[in-house]
Amino acid sequence: MRENRGLIVTLTVNPALDVSTSTERIVSNEKLRCGLTRLDPGGGGMNVARVISRLGGHAHAIYLAGGSTGDAYEKLVTDEELEAERVPIAGVTRESFTVDEISTAGQYRFVLQGPTVTEPEWQKSLALLEASISPGGYVVASGSLAPGIPDDFYARVARLARNKGARCVVDASGAALAAALAEGVYMVKPSRHEMDELVGTAPGGRGNQIQAASELIERGAAELVALTLGDEGAILISAAGVKRLPVPQVPVISTVGAGDSFLAGFVLRLAQGCSQHAAFCTAVAAGTATSMNPATLLCTKSDVERLEKELARISH
Ligand SMILES: Nc1ncnc2c1ncn2[C@@H]1O[C@H](COP(=O)(O)OP(=O)(O)OP(=O)(O)O)[C@@H](O)[C@H]1O
Ligand SMILES: [Mg+2]
């Protein structure tokens, strides 16, 4: 594989310190004694950088963080030996709380609101991003926008990337995704719900979703649309046509971070010079490999490599 140093930059403007634990049974009005606590530096762009690093690649992760949770977040990022750049903010980085209920194998996810980000703070992240982008490289803007960040933020990222000769990949929803598409990006990765919300298609109407994705490509809003379908795999739509991959049969435990892992696999392989088809196989493999691990744990390299071989065998 070719070295991809300097080629991939990720941006996380609303990260979360992921706190995960387990308890026997969730009941109201009682103390719930929990098992061990695990802390992870979460948020779309950071998860993408973490999976890229785990798969042997390299990404530069820019993130906003503040307060004591922001400091704890920074320490976790440093401990994972990621190449990361923190934009300090006055607000306090949020936490996300995931509890696995042992008796039912159910999972409860509490996603707290992020801190308000000021204009000088988000402008600073754009300036750092501009300085980090390499021509021919990839910018991955992933995750929700924190309060205070304008809806056209990812559209601004897309413009910056284009001006520097890089490809912009956006994983977002609602107004932020719509604005990025209006600006024009290289790739988007809507999940089923995000696609329905974006184009107003009837929930789960697969034909309508594919049609809507094709229209995005025809009007130049994106070159690639990866419509991810959870346990039904994913569909890749481009000017070259429509390709579908199923998920390999695996024991599914927790899908937290599956979409971020999908994106990491896709972008890493493209940056390494692989074909779109190979990148698509790695993406589905990485998303599915993450679903095999509990709580916020992401995929392992060996699972991804095993599943991508399996997918390459069953697809053409
Ligand atoms: N239950 C599952 N079983 C196997 N693989 C899964 C499962 N859920 C997700 N995946 C893998 O992860 C990829 C992305 O999942 P999904 O479509 O749920 O996107 P997401 O971004 O995690 O969703 P959302 O943003 O709506 O929470 C899928 O294409 C698939 O490869
Ligand atoms: Mg997602």
Side-chain angles (χ1 to χ4, degrees):
M1 289 285 171
R2 286 216 310 264
E3 176 62 73
N4 73 315
R5 188 162 287 270
L7 271 184
I8 307 172
V9 184
T10 73
L11 181 61
T12 315
V13 291
N14 197 16
L17 180 64
D18 283 339
V19 182
S20 55
T21 188
S22 60
T23 195
E24 192 54 37
R25 216 159 62 86
I26 309 261
V27 273
S28 59
N29 307 320
E30 271 187 33
K31 273 185 191 165
L32 306 175
R33 300 284 173 195
C34 296
L36 294 176
T37 305
R38 188 187 154 86
L39 294 179
D40 285 290
M46 189 60 76
N47 278 339
V48 171
R50 292 167 71 204
V51 171
I52 286 175
S53 155
R54 207 162 280 197
L55 296 182
H58 182 84
H60 181 79
I62 297 173
Y63 66 102
L64 275 63
S68 54
T69 38
D71 294 343
Y73 189 97
E74 182 177 353
K75 179 162 187 319
L76 291 168
V77 168
T78 310
D79 289 349
E80 282 200 33
E81 297 180 355
L82 298 169
E83 184 194 293
E85 214 169 349
R86 172 179 176 178
V87 179
I89 60 167
V92 178
T93 295
R94 65 181 170 151
E95 288 171 88
S96 272
F97 193 48
T98 303
V99 184
D100 289 332
E101 189 182 41
I102 298 163
S103 57
T104 60
Q107 187 177 64
Y108 294 80
R109 296 190 209 169
F110 300 88
V111 179
L112 305 188
Q113 263 193 27
T116 298
V117 172
T118 64
E119 175 157 1
E121 290 166 347
W122 59 258
Q123 288 282 13
K124 176 81 193 298
S125 70
L126 288 178
L128 285 185
L129 183 69
E130 186 170 21
S132 312
I133 301 175
S134 317
Y138 293 82
V139 176
V140 183
S142 172
S144 59
L145 299 179
I149 301 184
D151 285 346
D152 73 346
F153 183 78
Y154 286 155
R156 291 170 192 245
V157 170
R159 210 172 309 145
L160 268 182
R162 190 171 48 244
N163 291 342
K164 295 275 271 187
R167 289 167 160 175
C168 184
V169 178
V170 172
D171 183 3
S173 57
L177 174 60
L181 286 165
E183 177 64 34
V185 296
Y186 174 66
M187 175 175 175
V188 285
K189 188 221 81 61
S191 61
R192 307 170 260 213
H193 321 290
E194 288 163 348
M195 194 67 185
D196 290 336
E197 185 195 25
L198 179 72
V199 294
T201 46
R206 197 72 67 235
N208 292 341
Q209 291 170 338
I210 294 170
Q211 177 63 29
S214 303
E215 281 165 20
L216 290 176
I217 286 154
E218 275 159 31
R219 68 165 212 254
E223 285 182 43
L224 288 179
V225 177
L227 173 63
T228 59
L229 310 170
D231 61 357
E232 292 177 57
I235 301 176
L236 183 67
I237 302 115
S238 69
V242 177
K243 279 189 179 162
R244 180 160 189 168
L245 283 178
V247 293
Q249 282 284 331
V250 297
V252 174
I253 300 179
S254 162
T255 61
V256 177
D260 302 327
S261 304
F262 178 102
L263 215 49
F266 207 111
V267 173
L268 174 63
R269 288 291 181 259
L270 288 184
Q272 289 172 329
C274 298
S275 68
Q276 278 177 12
H277 179 68
F280 188 33
C281 289
T282 305
V284 172
T288 300
T290 286
S291 76
M292 295 165 62
N293 290 314
T296 48
L297 284 179
L298 300 168
C299 50
T300 64
K301 189 170 191 240
S302 58
D303 282 339
V304 175
E305 287 176 350
R306 181 171 57 80
L307 296 179
E308 70 183 337
K309 281 194 198 110
E310 194 174 324
L311 283 165
R313 238 195 343 266
I314 62 166
S315 65
H316 310 285

